[in-house]
Amino acid sequence: MIRLTQEEREERVQRAVALFKEGYNCSQSVVAAYADLYGFTREQALRMSASFGGGIGRMRETCGAACGMFLLAGLETGAVDGADRDGKAANYELVQRLAGQFKAENGALRCADLLGLSRQEPVVSTPEARTPQYYAKRPCSKMVETAARIFGQYITSGEE
């Protein structure tokens, strides 16, 4: 398990927010802030998390920032043997714990709920332009910060 100091963790959190403000999606921002710790290049991190933005493919389902946090949890504790039931259970327990903390801090885990969107709004694949108005009306930077901080706290704490 990787360990970070509190200062290193905070640097990663700020890196995640900066990536989001550069135009990367919420999932990419969280994953790319930590993926080098697991031997992944920035490009690999961005590619492996690209589909999870906007609540998974912009469908407004599970928050992309949370999905990024779950992807990192898999890098940290994911089972690599199909028969490893204990390993799977440990990873699922971690994901559920991280999800619970994210939901407790933000009130929801679903992207549409976090954005205050109705269920009737159409799902489209085209992302919105990143303008000052976009950042002013969206809580996404906060979700990225929260997910990056929660994951950073987990690896900083040294919990198994």
Side-chain angles (χ1 to χ4, degrees):
M1 178 176 272
I2 292 173
R3 300 286 180 256
L4 294 178
T5 67
Q6 191 168 351
E7 183 177 309
E8 290 168 329
R9 179 192 75 211
E10 196 53 38
E11 182 180 297
R12 301 275 174 167
V13 171
Q14 295 311 312
R15 184 181 309 164
V17 173
L19 286 163
F20 183 76
K21 290 180 178 178
E22 286 177 30
Y24 294 102
N25 75 37
C26 41
S27 186
Q28 288 175 309
S29 300
V30 173
V31 172
Y34 288 97
D36 66 299
L37 298 174
Y38 301 95
F40 290 95
T41 66
R42 178 179 165 128
E43 182 177 343
Q44 289 170 323
L46 296 170
R47 285 185 186 276
M48 77 173 128
S49 55
S51 299
F52 298 99
I56 307 172
R58 206 170 185 277
M59 293 185 292
R60 306 302 189 210
E61 295 300 334
T62 304
C63 171
C67 287
M69 179 174 60
F70 304 150
L71 193 152
L72 292 168
L75 295 176
E76 187 70 27
T77 66
V80 294
D81 177 354
D84 183 3
R85 292 181 64 220
D86 291 339
K88 289 178 191 178
N91 175 252
Y92 295 162
E93 187 277 328
L94 173 59
V95 169
Q96 289 172 13
R97 186 165 26 120
L98 296 173
Q101 189 173 347
F102 184 92
K103 190 173 181 179
E105 290 187 29
N106 297 298
L109 192 58
R110 189 170 169 268
C111 176
D113 297 336
L114 293 165
L115 295 176
L117 301 175
S118 74
R119 296 201 183 261
Q120 288 76 31
E121 294 191 35
V123 173
V124 297
S125 60
T126 307
E128 289 185 49
R130 296 289 183 92
T131 64
Q133 295 79 17
Y134 172 92
Y135 291 110
K137 74 178 181 176
R138 298 280 181 174
C140 303
S141 291
K142 179 181 179 281
M143 300 305 114
V144 166
E145 181 178 350
T146 301
R149 182 165 283 117
I150 291 170
F151 185 75
Q153 287 169 342
Y154 165 71
I155 61 174
T156 301
S157 71
E159 292 179 41
E160 296 281 344

